[in-house]
Amino acid sequence: MTPSNSKAYALVVDDEADIRELIEITLARMSIDTKAVATLAQAKTAFENEPFDLCLTDMRLPDGEGIDLVAFIAERRPHCPVAVITAYGNAESAVASLKAGAFDFVSKPLDVAGLRALVGQALKLAGLDHDAPPHPSLDASPRLIGRTTEMLRLRETISKLARSQAPVYISGESGTGKELVARMIHAEGPRMGAAFVPVNCGAIPSELMESEFFGYVRGAFTGAMRDTPGLFARADGGTLFLDEVADLPLTMQVKLLRAIQERAIRPVGANVETAVDVRVICATHCDLTAEVARGRFREDLYYRLNVIEVHVPPLRERTADIPALTDRILEGLTRKLRLRQVPRLAPRALEALQHYSFPGNIRELENILERAVTLSDNAVIERRYLRLSSPLSEATAESSPAPAPAEAPDENGTGRPGPASSTPTPDTSADLESQLEALERERIQAALETCHYNKTQAAKHLGITFRALRYRLAKLGMN
């Protein structure tokens, strides 16, 4: 069949005639013209001679592998999306096809609804879905700040990953911007018009995880008064971002693996599964390979999630980006705090930041600048307002009185520290409270630095709950 000028044109490659026919009928109902062939050689010839917009190929062909066709198309026309048809349950082949450059895969026996959803994503990827929202401009979409080699390389990787549907594993220290990377992958891809649903896996109580992820039906348990969608359902058609995925308990890892493999979920209390179309992106500051070796993370889930790994560099490895980052953060603080003018850093303050190690990375830089803006008396932020030393030493330095003269007798003849002249008795309870707060700040700050500013891990380190840590951070102004 030759393509019309207004329709998308798809190449279908499968040696089974009934599969080819099913795909052709499904695509025809989506107003897509098709050309169907049975071998790898026929597919390569057809692709070189005709302007296809997308391709669906079987993994096993009489004269070769579908992965060879994926590589062939990627080399000649990288913007043409290719989906691979794999045998049911063959996770290894699916992962291999995604790593080779396929944008997605579908398992046999073919599910028509799943096939239509996959082709719909391919049309968006190829820019042929006229109902899709326009691509966000650079000003509207999330952006990574910086022009260092590391950031240029990272942005290039994000651009490539946005065109794929492969699961992505984002590694990096806490505070480096892993969620921002995930949002950019979502915003620059075909799912940009659907929901981006982030979730911190360490912040969900283990007994609520199943209902949070998969939802529940009315009457599933006491208090379930209505059907409630879970995270997967809310991300249907879009992206589910699993932050700190290493914190998932093993029992939940099994259920998550099944949901990703089968592309279906079963809400708590339901009798049937519901199909979902979700791209999963995960992140953690932990070394997942080490977690697998320790038996804390399932190896099969690791290989399912870690199809493509992206590493976000720490701030100390790209200090040349600090001036641009501080400018952007200060602009944001100006809007947030409704300041009359944008604050700027004094030269010595900027130099101090560029020589600081930033254990908390960009998140710590944001906290430092917000604190400095609050403390500064004018629009020029001096170095002393950054408070880059330990909280306890600062508190001690600021609260310590000047050296006192020799003890003078009070009106009762008892000696006490202080000047000889009569002065009001100091409020020792207030002094004690400030000392306790300073000690608490020091302990919390030390725990945060030890855990690379992962609040969930810091709470465990301190022996308190995550909610208790959040309360203390707010109380002490450490947010």
Side-chain angles (χ1 to χ4, degrees):
M1 179 185 293
T2 55
S4 66
N5 291 331
S6 60
K7 291 183 178 181
Y9 191 28
L11 175 62
V12 179
V13 189
D14 201 298
D15 60 335
E16 298 182 49
D18 56 340
I19 297 292
R20 293 199 303 271
E21 184 179 2
L22 174 61
I23 295 175
E24 286 188 285
I25 292 173
T26 302
L27 298 191
R29 290 175 178 172
M30 298 177 71
S31 299
I32 299 173
D33 291 331
T34 58
K35 181 181 183 68
V37 298
T39 68
L40 178 62
Q42 291 171 345
K44 290 182 176 180
T45 300
F47 196 85
E48 287 185 325
N49 296 324
E50 299 186 60
F52 294 104
D53 299 304
L54 61 142
C55 174
L56 291 96
T57 178
D58 192 12
M59 177 64 78
R60 305 292 183 188
L61 297 170
D63 56 343
E65 297 286 331
I67 288 182
D68 296 334
L69 182 59
V70 173
F72 178 86
I73 294 175
E75 182 180 347
R76 286 158 179 76
R77 206 180 305 162
H79 295 292
C80 179
V82 185
V84 174
I85 304 168
T86 66
Y88 175 78
N90 193 340
E92 292 77 11
S93 295
V95 170
S97 66
L98 293 171
K99 288 186 175 180
F103 93 97
D104 208 347
F105 68 91
V106 60
S107 299
K108 294 180 181 179
L110 294 181
D111 173 67
V112 173
L115 179 61
R116 288 175 63 89
L118 180 145
V119 172
Q121 294 291 348
L123 292 177
K124 292 178 184 178
L125 193 59
L128 298 172
D129 185 359
H130 301 297
D131 295 328
H135 196 284
S137 67
L138 287 177
D139 291 332
S141 61
R143 282 191 290 171
L144 287 168
I145 305 299
R147 301 295 301 172
T148 54
T149 303
E150 293 84 357
M151 298 312 293
L152 294 175
R153 190 182 300 119
L154 180 57
R155 276 196 288 270
E156 182 181 351
T157 301
I158 289 171
S159 180
K160 292 178 180 177
L161 293 179
R163 299 187 55 80
S164 168
Q165 297 299 296
V168 176
Y169 164 51
I170 305 173
S171 62
E173 298 176 7
S174 291
T176 50
K178 296 188 290 296
E179 182 174 336
L180 178 58
V181 171
R183 287 184 180 276
M184 289 183 66
I185 293 172
H186 171 81
E188 295 181 17
R191 296 177 180 267
M192 60 184 176
F196 176 89
V197 180
V199 54
N200 187 325
C201 298
I204 304 176
S206 57
E207 63 273 14
L208 299 179
M209 276 193 172
E210 186 173 2
S211 60
E212 282 289 319
F213 275 94
F214 307 132
Y216 54 87
V217 298
R218 179 181 177 183
F221 48 81
T222 303
M225 305 301 293
R226 63 182 184 277
D227 292 356
T228 302
L231 295 166
F232 268 88
R234 278 180 263 162
D236 194 19
T239 302
L240 179 62
F241 175 57
L242 304 177
D243 196 11
E244 298 304 342
V245 70
D247 290 343
L248 286 174
L250 288 171
T251 52
M252 189 62 207
Q253 291 176 29
V254 177
K255 297 171 182 176
L256 177 62
L257 175 63
R258 176 173 175 78
I260 295 173
Q261 285 187 163
E262 305 303 326
R263 301 189 181 192
I265 58 171
R266 178 176 295 176
V268 176
N271 296 320
V272 296
E273 290 188 333
T274 304
V276 288
D277 172 28
V278 173
R279 184 182 191 181
V280 175
I281 299 177
C282 71
T284 181
H285 74 284
C286 298
D287 183 349
L288 269 189
T289 307
E291 294 296 296
V292 171
R294 296 186 187 106
R296 298 176 186 168
F297 201 84
R298 290 181 63 94
E299 186 175 17
D300 47 5
L301 179 59
Y302 170 74
Y303 286 116
R304 173 60 73 178
L305 294 174
N306 189 19
V307 174
I308 302 173
E309 181 176 352
V310 181
H311 180 69
V312 185
L315 186 53
R316 63 181 173 275
E317 293 181 5
R318 56 186 191 99
T319 54
D321 289 331
I322 288 178
L325 283 166
T326 55
D327 288 344
R328 175 57 63 88
I329 293 170
L330 290 173
E331 288 172 6
L333 289 172
T334 301
R335 293 190 295 269
K336 175 183 175 181
L337 303 176
R338 298 182 181 180
L339 303 177
R340 282 181 287 183
Q341 65 181 109
V342 180
R344 62 183 178 86
L345 291 172
R348 287 192 63 219
L350 180 58
E351 182 182 0
L353 288 177
Q354 290 180 303
H355 287 86
Y356 184 59
S357 62
F358 285 104
N361 293 292
I362 297 173
R363 186 181 297 131
E364 185 183 7
L365 175 61
E366 292 172 340
N367 292 341
I368 288 171
L369 291 178
E370 183 168 5
R371 180 176 62 212
V373 168
T374 303
L375 295 175
S376 181
D377 296 326
N378 52 55
V380 179
I381 300 173
E382 301 295 340
R383 184 192 185 287
R384 66 180 182 275
Y385 294 123
L386 298 178
R387 296 191 169 188
L388 298 182
S389 56
S390 69
L392 182 61
S393 63
E394 289 173 0
T396 304
E398 291 180 0
S399 61
S400 296
E407 292 185 354
D410 61 12
E411 59 183 359
N412 296 320
T414 58
R416 62 173 178 82
S421 59
S422 62
T423 57
T425 304
D427 185 354
T428 56
S429 63
D431 288 346
L432 177 60
E433 184 177 348
S434 65
Q435 291 175 32
L436 290 174
E437 282 190 0
L439 181 59
E440 189 172 12
R441 282 175 184 273
E442 181 194 34
R443 291 290 305 278
I444 292 176
Q445 181 70 23
L448 288 170
E449 291 178 1
T450 300
C451 300
H452 302 289
Y453 283 78
N454 181 300
K455 293 180 183 178
T456 304
Q457 297 296 329
K460 293 179 182 177
H461 186 80
L462 291 165
I464 60 177
T465 64
F466 178 78
R467 182 174 297 179
L469 177 60
R470 281 198 311 183
Y471 169 78
R472 283 174 163 81
L473 289 172
K475 178 186 175 183
L476 297 171
M478 297 178 68
N479 281 331

